[in-house]
Amino acid sequence: PPAGARRAAAPAAAGTDDGQDADVLRARTPEELEPALPPGVRYLGQFNDTYLIVDFGRELVLVDQHAAHERVIYAAMEATGSRGHSRPLGMPVEMALHPSEQARRQTLFSELRAMGFIVETPRPGMAAIVGAPPGLTVGQAKEYLGAALAGQSKSLNDLWVLMSCKTAIKAGTRLTDDEAVALLAQWAKAPERDYCPHGRPVTVRFGQREMEKMFKRRK
């Protein structure tokens, strides 16, 4: 792999003290991981815990892991629609609301409910999250609702975009090879995969001609 790229640990030695099958414990090789990816695509490693390095056969591609995961999450929400699945919180999460945020809560009430948010008003100027989308932690639910009510979303589509951003893998997150390949396999099937829901590019591509020019192999 290129310098700075991280690979998984070497396979464990055969035989373990507790009698477990060594094949279960060892890291999988690139050849074993490849079947999960489209034909001819090879995962080479992760650079700076942010970019996935992928051999696409005729191109060397850097994939922004956060942007790719945003596209995967957005595509899943777009495909399943607004089903309103919600999980109750053990303890309501209260938030103080500015009058403008209270107005936005009323405007976005139906859209937020469709996404799985159940928000009550225990007293004036306060909101209490009593139910949240299953995919969000309590902290993420509060952060997400705060961002939505601050004016970052005006429609259900905007809420999907915001959700994909808040829940996607962040830059600087180390991934195992299995995690990286699973993300790439999902991203490869997503519509409009070359751009995140905000319109930012997911990939930077280097074709053979471009690389030969960079290395002064051709003019």
Side-chain angles (χ1 to χ4, degrees), residues 67 71 187 191-203:
R71 174 51 67 185
W187 167 75
E192 303 180 66
R193 69 181 187 183
D194 287 332
Y195 296 90
C196 79
H198 302 91
R200 190 166 62 83
V202 173
T203 63

Side-chain angles (χ1 to χ4, degrees), residues 158-179:
D158 289 344
L159 289 170
W160 285 347
V161 172
L162 182 60
M163 175 78 85
S164 67
C165 182
K166 293 296 183 183
T167 57
I169 296 167
K170 301 297 185 289
T173 301
R174 178 167 294 186
L175 302 181
T176 66
D177 281 6
D178 282 353
E179 290 170 335

